[in-house]
Amino acid sequence: MWWYAARRILQTIPVILGSTLLIYALVFLRPGDPIRAIFGDKPVSDSVIEQVRAQYNFDEPFLMQWLLFLKGAITLDFGQSFTGRDVSDLVADAFPVTIKLALMALVIEAVLGIVAGTIAGLRKGKLFDSTMLVTSLLVIAVPIFVFGFVMQLIFGVKLGWFPPTVGGNTSFYNLLLPAIVLALVSFAYIVRLTRTSVAANLTADHVRTARAKGLSEGVVVRRHVLRNSLIPTVTFLGADLGALMAGAIVTEGIFNIPGIGNLAFNAIKRGETPTIVSVVTIMVLVYVLTSLIVDLLYAWLDPRIRYA
Amino acid sequence: MALLAAIGLTLSACGGGGDDDSDSGSSSTDAVITARTTEPQNPLVPQATNEVGGGNVIDLLYAGLITYKDDGSQELEVADSITSDDNQLWTVKLKDWTFSDGTPVTAKSFVDAWNYGALSTNAQNASYFYYPIKGYEAVQEENPTVKTMEGLKVVDDKTFTIELNQPESDFPLRLGYSAYYPLPESAFADIKAYGEAPVGNGPYKLDAWEHNKELRLVPNEEYDGARKAQNGGVTFVVYTDTDAAYTDVQAGNLDVLDTVPDSALQTFQDDDSVQAITAPGSVLGAFQFPSDLPGFTGEAGKLRRQALSMALNREELTEKLFFGTRTPASDFSAPPMPGWTDEIPGNEVLEFNADEAKKRWAEAEAIEPWGNKKLLIATNTDGAGNKASVDAMSNQIKNALGIDAEPKYYATFDEFLDDRDNNKTGALFRAGWQPDYPSISNYLGPIYGTGAASNDGNYSNPEFDAALAKAAGATSDEDRYQDFVDAQAILMEDMPGLPMWYTDGTGAAATGVENVKFNWQGVPIYQNITK
């Protein structure tokens, strides 16, 4: 088990090397000169441009730029953004906000999704099941920014229950509305996944055996149906944490949340290689680590995997 | 001998602080105003800043030698007088003034700050603004051997002189621009740390800067100039998306928004949940011809440029595309500029006239046939309205002249700038201009002067240069304004570029917020806002 975990962690190294190299190549291939954009329409002397270009290693070939980045990264120096601030500071400011938002969304979608999905699965074909089916289809079909704007307008502007935007105050209450918006799409998937697998497991042999032993229906559902049914859901939730962080780009824009999505969006717009690469590296790390956690959770949920 | 170049500055020297009428109103003077900003892209050092997000804050934190009134006219701020006998050697005398930490503002505060800003190794964004000063070229070299500009000399604590490369009668006008603000001595010890917590001499001082979240400004008690704070402070909230900011204004969560998002442009003037603010703008939207564009050289080229200008229906474009938030251009500057007039000889060439356009195009055909060339109109598409306007312009040209006109898109602004600088667009290209200081010369010289820094079309006409030089040497406002009219008349004939529209200042304020007005730059006058 520990060997398995360690191997998985070691696997992250080539993943990070490869992904950062890929990003460096992509930003390098981007046409135009981001340094020029710093100065805008106003003329600026070549010597000043050279100065700034050298400061960001933009005068080096991209392989060299990448190696210089890695060299800094080993000593936890991720370079500077075009604003002259350390990228590590920027990320340290933005990352906790997005993590908080993503975890809130994850809890909301997991709790509501599993509960609704289980009920729908237990009452297959009944009114609740059909309602959930229609609702989840609707939620999946409508783009997230539509929900964002509509909910912002209704609950933020018209009803005034929530602040319409978050800004500097990233309290639990302020983040609740965007977290719900962010959770919506995945919520629909979780309902469908849980429902299908609960419905399938209800007719499985081991459930029939459990019932035959005379166990109460509540114990049967909790111990024998849910435990098995949650495996696909957990897989989805694990992968979803990464997706939630990436999806936050839209939500963070709509609700003006100073998180990693906003940071990445602005950095890409300005061609700020150090910031983009650092942010994406963190995203990769989150993906890798959550999939590791998912694999470990499997073992806990399903003894067959544990003892394999 | 002591002929003073009056320029109207000394007249208003002691005018500041006279109108305290907002003190008597019912609205509270200690309410803190919230306003939208973008995260400043640079440390809050005036010489490092040339973008709006940081610029708005800088202008409240610092005071320059002069300041601009709402209408673009100027009055002295830190300077007691700015005088010259020959428009080339200027003498500046300072009032007794202090930074917010109590240290005095001296001649050295200005000279050191400008030298710091101009030195190439400091790589300051605003370095270009010192180009009129003698010795600028030497400090801009890649490995400069001198660190200070020859033209700047400290005479005593309260006096310094500025020597220019050539006479410039409106030189003092530019001294209210942020690049010319002073810095306290303490700034140079650690400029990076200073940029995080600047000490200025303006109407406000920085209380806190929470990066990517907000900047809190509180009134500066040491300040005794004309822009005294009428509120309890201004908190700039950072937004990456103007739609979110607009929503906050609608909900009463944000007091002032200095720009209206595209999505609300059509509706904001009828929106009951906000106060709509519009003001004549100083930003000129224009297009420039590369001087060597095939088909646009020589006499035939001149006729064709005129024909294109008359083939464009600016009225229709501003109404349909921008819902009247832009105004069709009638000259090469903008209405808020002192001395502006819409009576430039030859400016009927900016009016839509399909018949005349066809006629001039036909005349050009007689000299040199167009053949089956394609006219490209280049723009970057990452700015608001750029793509739509170039699409519409191509269609208008096609319809009016029957030639093949087509947009040429660049995905990003920097990509576009690259090609523009290197004369590689091969197209009529977009070239908007936002003035740095309120003078018509700031529109004409940098863009159309021979060899000028932003003259990306490489236009050159000795007559035009002579008219600008004459304006630079003018001793009265009237003479100078007339020289600008003469210079523009030459442009109307040559049409090296197509002025299209003036972009109005548009903004929104929450209901209950008072005294929201825009200045000549389209920036809210934050210190006057109350609620």
Side-chain angles (χ1 to χ4, degrees):
Chain A
M1 184 86 164
W2 290 114
W3 168 237
Y4 174 68
R7 208 175 56 197
R8 286 297 303 271
I9 291 170
L10 281 177
Q11 277 173 2
T12 59
I13 294 172
V15 172
I16 288 171
L17 287 180
S19 56
T20 52
L21 180 64
L22 195 69
I23 299 156
Y24 256 99
L26 287 175
V27 181
F28 191 81
L29 289 172
R30 173 188 182 277
D33 182 355
I35 296 297
R36 275 304 273 117
I38 297 181
F39 297 97
D41 250 330
K42 305 297 177 192
V44 60
S45 67
D46 290 343
S47 58
V48 171
I49 289 190
E50 283 311 317
Q51 188 90 20
V52 181
R53 193 172 281 144
Q55 190 186 331
Y56 294 102
N57 299 328
F58 281 147
D59 49 352
E60 307 279 356
F62 94 88
L63 217 56
M64 194 64 201
Q65 290 187 26
W66 176 62
L67 287 172
L68 287 168
F69 171 80
L70 287 182
K71 192 179 139 211
I74 290 169
T75 57
L76 294 179
D77 171 13
F78 293 94
Q80 288 189 336
S81 74
F82 287 171
T83 60
R85 293 190 65 213
D86 287 343
V87 172
S88 45
D89 286 352
L90 289 174
V91 171
D93 281 352
F95 195 59
V97 178
T98 304
I99 280 286
K100 192 171 172 185
L101 178 69
L103 284 180
M104 281 172 70
L106 198 72
V107 170
I108 293 171
E109 68 187 41
V111 172
L112 294 183
I114 290 173
V115 170
T118 309
I119 299 174
L122 291 173
R123 301 183 189 167
K124 208 172 99 184
K126 304 267 174 55
L127 181 67
F128 184 83
D129 185 29
S130 324
T131 316
M132 271 296 134
L133 182 75
V134 174
T135 317
S136 55
L137 272 179
L138 199 78
V139 170
I140 291 169
V142 178
I144 187 163
F145 67 86
V146 175
F147 280 119
F149 282 123
V150 169
M151 290 180 68
Q152 184 183 46
L153 186 69
I154 295 174
F155 298 108
V157 179
K158 298 285 181 210
L159 296 174
W161 293 355
F162 296 95
T165 66
V166 173
N169 179 4
T170 52
S171 67
F172 177 80
Y173 169 64
N174 278 20
L175 285 174
L176 197 54
L177 190 61
I180 292 171
V181 171
L182 194 56
L184 265 180
V185 174
S186 303
F187 163 76
Y189 283 111
I190 289 169
V191 170
R192 309 293 306 265
L193 271 176
T194 315
R195 175 223 178 246
T196 312
S197 107
V198 164
N201 270 312
L202 275 176
T203 58
D205 290 343
H206 72 277
V207 173
R208 205 175 47 205
T209 313
R211 280 204 180 114
K213 282 197 296 186
L215 292 177
S216 73
E217 191 62 17
V219 175
V220 171
V221 170
R222 257 182 285 126
R223 291 233 188 108
H224 298 274
V225 177
L226 262 187
R227 192 155 181 169
N228 282 323
S229 310
L230 282 184
I231 289 178
T233 310
V234 166
T235 318
F236 179 81
L237 281 172
D240 200 42
L241 184 63
L244 282 176
M245 295 193 51
I249 290 188
V250 176
T251 323
E252 287 181 2
I254 295 171
F255 291 97
N256 196 40
I257 303 167
I260 212 101
N262 252 340
L263 186 66
F265 179 74
N266 282 322
I268 291 168
K269 219 166 57 179
R270 291 204 285 260
E272 272 184 21
T273 322
T275 315
I276 305 173
V277 178
S278 305
V279 169
V280 175
T281 308
I282 286 171
M283 297 263 192
V284 170
L285 272 178
V286 170
Y287 259 107
V288 172
L289 286 180
T290 47
S291 69
L292 175 68
I293 293 169
V294 167
D295 287 350
L296 297 180
L297 269 179
Y298 271 178
W300 175 72
L301 282 170
D302 189 340
R304 281 172 302 181
I305 299 175
R306 200 182 326 167
Y307 299 119
Chain B
M1 182 184 99
L3 169 74
L4 296 185
I7 53 159
L9 276 171
T10 39
L11 290 177
S12 46
C14 38
D19 31 30
D20 288 330
D21 51 353
S22 42
D23 278 351
S24 56
S26 60
S27 59
S28 163
T29 54
D30 44 326
V32 174
I33 303 297
T34 54
R36 170 261 185 189
T37 188
T38 47
E39 169 78 1
Q41 284 177 25
N42 303 287
L44 291 172
V45 175
Q47 286 71 21
T49 298
N50 70 339
E51 45 82 42
V52 183
N56 288 347
V57 179
I58 293 273
D59 282 338
L60 295 182
L61 295 182
Y62 294 89
L65 294 170
I66 69 160
T67 185
Y68 307 115
K69 290 196 277 194
D70 313 352
D71 59 356
S73 65
Q74 67 287 338
E75 61 185 311
L76 294 173
E77 193 145 45
V78 183
D80 193 40
S81 67
I82 304 171
T83 52
S84 174
D85 294 343
D86 56 2
N87 288 340
Q88 189 160 4
L89 181 67
W90 295 85
T91 304
V92 180
K93 286 192 188 301
L94 305 177
K95 294 177 198 155
D96 284 324
W97 198 295
T98 52
F99 287 102
S100 62
D101 65 351
T103 55
V105 180
T106 64
K108 212 165 167 299
S109 314
F110 284 94
V111 170
D112 286 354
W114 301 2
N115 277 327
Y116 173 80
L119 190 63
S120 67
T121 48
N122 292 332
Q124 297 293 292
N125 290 1
S127 63
Y128 135 85
F129 292 97
Y130 310 100
Y131 76 88
I133 300 172
K134 196 170 176 191
Y136 168 77
E137 282 76 20
V139 294
Q140 272 286 293
E141 280 170 16
E142 190 143 5
N143 296 304
T145 48
V146 285
K147 304 229 148 141
T148 55
M149 288 183 281
E150 192 191 335
L152 294 180
K153 289 203 174 68
V154 176
V155 178
D156 59 47
D157 252 15
K158 296 284 168 201
T159 317
F160 69 100
T161 58
I162 312 162
E163 192 181 355
L164 306 181
N165 288 318
Q166 60 189 48
E168 300 211 24
S169 62
D170 64 354
F171 177 73
L173 270 182
R174 65 174 79 222
L175 295 177
Y177 183 71
S178 55
Y180 293 99
Y181 288 158
L183 288 175
E185 184 125 28
S186 60
F188 301 104
D190 182 352
I191 198 89
K192 200 174 167 188
Y194 175 81
E196 290 287 311
V199 174
N201 60 337
Y204 291 87
K205 55 185 182 184
L206 186 68
D207 180 39
W209 180 4
E210 285 188 53
H211 285 281
N212 293 312
K213 291 175 189 165
E214 61 185 33
L215 299 103
R216 292 193 291 276
L217 273 55
V218 292
N220 172 12
E221 306 85 37
E222 299 286 333
Y223 177 84
D224 195 26
R227 298 182 288 148
K228 213 157 176 49
Q230 305 297 330
N231 46 44
V234 178
T235 294
F236 284 98
V237 185
V238 176
Y239 286 87
T240 41
D241 182 280
T242 37
D243 280 303
Y246 188 79
T247 308
D248 267 351
V249 175
Q250 286 179 313
N253 233 21
L254 178 74
D255 294 330
V256 189
L257 171 60
D258 57 348
T259 177
V260 173
D262 285 357
S263 58
L265 216 45
Q266 193 171 3
T267 54
F268 83 105
Q269 308 217 39
D270 303 317
D271 187 341
D272 290 337
S273 55
V274 302
Q275 297 181 57
I277 305 143
T278 57
S282 56
V283 176
L284 176 72
F287 287 79
Q288 268 179 273
F289 291 97
S291 62
D292 56 357
L293 191 65
F296 287 94
T297 52
E299 189 58 28
K302 192 202 269 185
L303 286 163
R304 285 206 172 100
R305 292 193 292 271
Q306 294 169 348
L308 281 181
S309 180
M310 297 171 107
L312 292 168
N313 189 341
R314 294 169 174 78
E315 203 79 49
E316 190 182 77
L317 291 170
T318 50
E319 200 43 58
K320 292 251 167 79
L321 295 175
F322 303 109
F323 314 107
T325 57
R326 298 188 183 189
T327 309
S330 54
D331 82 325
F332 283 85
S333 66
M337 296 302 113
W340 183 84
T341 168
D342 62 354
E343 286 169 15
I344 312 275
N347 72 350
E348 62 277 359
V349 75
L350 300 182
E351 276 159 35
F352 176 59
N353 187 340
D355 295 337
E356 187 60 29
K358 277 202 197 82
K359 202 179 127 228
R360 294 202 188 176
W361 191 271
E363 280 174 39
E365 282 294 279
I367 303 171
E368 181 203 327
W370 174 254
N372 51 8
K373 280 198 273 293
K374 193 184 273 181
L375 174 70
L376 295 174
I377 309 176
T379 184
N380 57 314
T381 51
D382 55 351
N386 289 345
K387 186 171 183 292
S389 56
V390 168
D391 280 345
M393 285 168 61
S394 313
N395 280 330
Q396 288 192 345
I397 291 170
K398 261 190 246 175
N399 292 340
L401 299 174
I403 62 164
D404 198 2
E406 212 174 79
K408 177 175 180 182
Y409 300 129
Y410 290 86
T412 61
F413 184 50
D414 54 281
E415 197 188 334
F416 179 50
L417 278 175
D418 244 11
D419 265 15
R420 234 170 67 175
D421 284 356
N422 300 318
N423 195 22
K424 285 199 304 206
T425 59
L428 176 63
F429 58 83
R430 196 183 69 79
W433 188 254
Q434 179 162 31
D436 307 312
Y437 57 97
S439 172
I440 294 173
S441 71
N442 188 232
Y443 289 83
L444 304 180
I447 307 181
Y448 297 113
T450 301
S454 292
N455 186 348
D456 297 326
N458 297 321
Y459 173 71
S460 173
N461 183 340
E463 275 178 68
F464 175 75
D465 293 340
L468 278 190
K470 188 156 171 275
T475 48
S476 78
D477 285 347
E478 286 70 33
D479 288 354
R480 189 166 72 239
Y481 297 156
Q482 185 54 47
D483 293 335
F484 289 144
V485 170
D486 296 345
Q488 290 211 56
I490 297 168
L491 294 183
M492 291 297 171
E493 170 75 16
D494 279 352
M495 276 283 127
L498 306 174
M500 293 301 296
W501 40 65
Y502 315 118
T503 306
D504 295 347
T506 55
T511 49
V513 178
E514 287 169 32
N515 298 322
V516 188
K517 279 201 188 122
F518 279 16
N519 67 10
W520 63 278
Q521 275 181 308
V523 174
I525 304 161
Y526 293 107
Q527 69 271 15
N528 290 348
I529 300 173
T530 54
K531 71 171 179 183

